[in-house]
Amino acid sequence: MKLKSGKSEVSRIYQVGQFIRESELKSDEKFLKLNQGVNNVVHPDIKKIINNLDFGIRPFAYPPNDGYGDLKEAINQEFFFGTADLNNIVITPGSVGALDIIMQLIDSRNIYLPEFFWGPYKIIAENRRLSPKYYKSYDTNLKPGDSIIICDPNNPTGVKLDDDKLYDWILELTKKDIFVIFDSPYRRLFKDRTDDLFYKLMNLQNLVIVESFSKSLSLPGMRCGFIHSKEPNLVKEFRTRLLYTAGGVSAMTQLVVRDLLNTDIGKEEIAIFKAITTENINKNIDWLNEHNLVSKELYVSRPEGLFIIVNLDEKLLLDNYIGAVTLPFFTEIEENKEKYKDHSRICLSVKNEIFVKYFENLV
């Protein structure tokens, strides 16, 4: 059978995970799995949510392909101060599928990725016959008709741009008819509903917000997120393609996320999860800084998010039972590949005492 040729590849993140799984089957040693961006400090107790759910008929019927209205309204209150048009919001199965559909729809001569970027950006773009190019922060040399992905805080580095400068940059890009994909899955781990950036962005044309609850609600296994855009043609076509690729998002998942966002029990669980998780993340950053293990040339301010770059190579970390991903995987710029060949991305979202136990052997 003939198949269309493609450039699909397994990311280094997955390869390291597979190596760890195989190694643990052969040995009693357990790895600290910092190769993936998964929160592993505490989690919200979703049993408290599930036990109080009024399921009704929803789990026994197909969900709307663009998501339940009451979940959209919960998102509206959480991210947009209750001022968004719900027709501009579509519930998605996480961010990967959302990004894939968006890249099917954009008609751009170029799509620009950060100089350090999350690996699937490039893989999805190439699978959709787009030609990735690369930019540094605040680059405005793009041309009308181009597209750009902005990931802030950045994955893999954890670099966080100043919010006011970030907004001004996005505003300038959109006014030049450059299509902006704003992907910020780590931001809300450190913010609450008083954060106004999404509200400020929601009325811009030439922009789509891609958001996932995998990090901010610690629900990667539930595969839920949303997009918001004022581009009616994008939203209309997105809904249709989502219907014929995923059939919508699980009713159970939507109900759990809704009640985490808009019930007193849910809000309390999320507040506890965020407070304890960010406390441990910050302790881990402090410990790495104190022991000179951070790739400091990458940072002009404190990193934020789930990730940081350390000046230790992937093999050394794996030899010490720490999962990590080599930084050159996250860049296509040869100068960066060479300069950071002995540096690695690690996830910070793990209990500080466990983190220190594994890393203290390296100092």
Side-chain angles (χ1 to χ4, degrees):
M1 181 179 74
K2 290 187 67 176
L3 297 173
K4 290 183 178 179
S5 62
K7 296 185 178 180
S8 297
E9 55 186 275
V10 177
S11 80
R12 184 62 189 160
I13 304 167
Y14 178 87
Q15 291 172 354
V16 171
Q18 187 175 36
F19 169 80
I20 289 173
R21 287 189 293 274
E22 292 173 354
S23 298
E24 287 187 336
L25 288 173
K26 300 173 184 176
S27 167
D28 292 332
E29 295 286 352
K30 294 298 179 184
F31 280 74
L32 184 61
K33 300 176 179 67
L34 305 184
N35 48 297
Q36 282 189 306
V38 176
N39 286 305
N40 199 20
V41 181
V42 295
H43 303 286
D45 185 356
I46 62 171
K47 286 188 289 187
K48 292 181 180 178
I49 300 299
I50 294 170
N51 290 340
N52 286 289
L53 278 178
D54 179 11
F55 293 108
I57 194 66
R58 289 201 246 195
F60 308 102
Y62 291 115
N65 62 300
D66 61 341
Y68 288 122
D70 48 1
L71 173 55
K72 291 185 182 186
E73 182 55 37
I75 289 168
N76 186 20
Q77 296 297 326
E78 178 72 24
F79 290 85
F80 305 110
F81 300 127
T83 63
D85 182 341
L86 299 189
N87 291 318
N88 296 335
I89 298 172
V90 180
I91 307 302
T92 68
S95 61
V96 176
L99 289 164
D100 182 61
I101 293 176
I102 291 166
M103 290 192 201
Q104 293 174 41
L105 296 176
I106 58 177
D107 183 13
S108 293
R109 68 179 82 190
N110 299 308
I111 184 164
Y112 282 82
L113 311 181
E115 63 173 327
F116 294 102
F117 60 89
W118 181 50
Y121 287 158
K122 177 175 180 286
I123 295 169
I124 296 169
E126 291 181 337
N127 282 346
R128 295 304 175 185
R129 306 296 194 269
L130 298 173
S131 298
K133 297 183 183 298
Y134 305 96
Y135 70 90
K136 294 181 182 290
S137 298
Y138 305 121
D139 191 341
T140 57
N141 292 320
L142 287 69
K143 301 293 189 294
D146 288 340
S147 295
I148 183 172
I149 297 179
I150 296 175
C151 179
D152 182 83
N154 176 265
N155 176 2
T157 64
V159 168
K160 173 75 188 77
L161 303 180
D162 175 82
D163 276 354
D164 290 336
K165 292 180 180 178
L166 173 64
Y167 175 76
D168 290 343
W169 178 39
I170 292 173
L171 181 62
E172 182 176 357
L173 292 170
T174 57
K175 284 182 175 179
K176 289 178 64 176
D177 196 29
I178 293 160
F179 186 71
V180 176
I181 302 167
F182 184 69
D183 183 27
S184 183
Y186 317 102
R187 180 181 182 88
R188 276 305 182 95
L189 180 60
F190 295 84
K191 307 282 186 183
D192 59 25
R193 62 174 56 196
T194 62
D195 176 34
D196 68 351
L197 181 62
F198 292 93
Y199 170 77
K200 291 168 65 177
L201 293 175
M202 75 173 186
N203 286 317
L204 299 184
Q205 301 292 343
N206 296 318
L207 179 136
V208 60
I209 295 169
V210 180
E211 184 64 16
S212 166
F213 297 116
S214 295
K215 310 302 188 287
S216 62
L217 301 187
S218 195
L219 296 175
M222 287 201 162
R223 309 309 304 134
C224 189
F226 70 90
I227 67 158
H228 177 284
S229 180
K230 285 201 69 176
E231 298 291 333
N233 291 333
L234 181 146
V235 173
K236 179 177 180 292
E237 188 66 21
F238 189 102
R239 286 174 177 158
T240 303
R241 297 202 181 200
L242 180 59
L243 173 63
Y244 292 112
T245 54
V249 176
S250 159
M252 288 287 293
T253 290
Q254 293 193 58
L255 294 174
V256 170
V257 172
R258 179 202 65 187
D259 283 6
L260 279 170
L261 292 178
N262 74 355
T263 66
D264 290 341
I265 294 173
K267 291 174 185 176
E268 181 181 1
E269 284 299 310
I270 294 307
I272 293 169
F273 150 71
K274 286 184 178 181
I276 296 174
T277 296
T278 55
E279 178 186 17
N280 279 266
I281 286 173
N282 284 318
K283 284 181 177 179
N284 293 339
I285 293 173
D286 290 341
W287 191 91
L288 291 171
N289 275 321
E290 288 166 8
H291 293 85
N292 297 313
L293 296 179
V294 176
S295 303
K296 292 183 179 178
E297 61 269 35
L298 288 170
Y299 302 101
V300 295
S301 60
R302 188 179 180 85
E304 192 170 299
L306 260 66
F307 303 108
I308 198 168
I309 307 303
V310 292
N311 51 24
L312 301 165
D313 70 48
E314 179 189 280
K315 184 178 184 305
L316 174 64
L317 290 165
L318 288 172
D319 286 346
N320 284 273
Y321 304 102
I322 299 169
V325 182
T326 182
L327 185 53
F329 166 72
F330 298 97
T331 185
E332 286 297 308
I333 298 172
E334 289 303 321
E335 179 184 349
N336 287 339
K337 285 181 178 289
E338 178 61 27
K339 182 177 181 180
Y340 297 105
K341 63 184 179 181
D342 297 326
H343 297 236
S344 303
R345 185 199 79 169
I346 59 169
C347 178
L348 291 159
S349 190
V350 64
K351 292 178 181 177
N352 176 251
E353 59 268 25
I354 297 174
F355 187 89
V356 171
K357 179 181 177 181
Y358 275 82
F359 273 90
E360 62 187 357
N361 294 327
L362 297 172
V363 295

